[in-house]
Amino acid sequence: MATKVRDIMTGSPTSVSPELDIVTVARAMRDEQIGAVLVAEGDDLKGVVTDRDLVVRGLAAGGDPAQVKIGGIASKVTATVRPDDSTEKAAQIMRERSVRRLPVLEDGRPVGIVSIRDLASGASGEDAAAALADIGAARSTT
């Protein structure tokens, strides 16, 4: 089984500018068949937006979706991991922060995203299974 984040992460994450409107980002997510994007200015990570964020913070909030900027609905990044961190560390952070996705940074630049699904496919042992159950039961913030 995988022991490093790099072995299970989704590499080359899609990043968008905080100035893009939510309609443009939603279409990009649809076209790329992804459920989350990183919001960044250059290599500076500003946040994460999920398909759920688009609905709950974007569309349900009202206003013109073509005018709502993605940076305004992005979840703040509260934690990250490195590619060489253990999958156990990623699961622990997800459990502690109640998040389902973590950006993966290398030298301060986003290089991937690791999700609860990635961990589930690479998890081994009783501790990993317990951590995943805790994450799944927690209220998601990303």
Side-chain angles (χ1 to χ4, degrees):
M1 284 292 165
T3 58
K4 301 281 185 196
V5 168
R6 81 168 60 255
D7 298 328
I8 63 167
M9 72 181 193
T10 300
S12 303
T14 298
S15 295
V16 298
S17 165
E19 296 303 313
L20 284 179
D21 63 87
I22 65 172
V23 173
T24 300
V25 175
R27 287 180 179 148
M29 290 171 71
R30 176 201 61 202
D31 294 348
E32 295 181 38
Q33 298 180 355
I34 55 176
V37 295
L38 300 178
V39 179
E41 288 181 316
D43 287 339
D44 187 21
L45 183 61
K46 299 291 186 183
V48 176
V49 172
T50 66
D51 45 9
R52 184 175 189 279
D53 293 330
L54 289 172
V55 173
V56 174
R57 294 186 193 151
L59 296 175
D64 180 358
Q67 300 301 314
V68 177
K69 303 299 181 200
I70 204 71
I73 68 163
S75 297
K76 184 177 178 183
V77 175
T78 61
T80 62
V81 289
R82 296 180 314 232
D84 288 326
D85 285 340
S86 69
T87 54
E88 290 81 13
K89 179 178 180 177
Q92 178 183 358
I93 291 169
M94 287 179 168
R95 182 177 59 244
E96 290 170 354
R97 304 288 177 125
S98 297
V99 296
R100 296 171 185 258
R101 295 173 179 89
L102 284 173
V104 181
L105 301 183
E106 189 168 46
D107 299 324
R109 293 180 302 109
V111 295
I113 296 177
V114 64
S115 70
I116 189 172
R117 177 187 239 176
D118 298 329
L119 286 174
S121 67
S124 63
E126 206 170 289
D127 290 340
L132 292 171
D134 289 347
I135 297 165
R139 183 174 170 264
S140 175
T141 58
T142 61

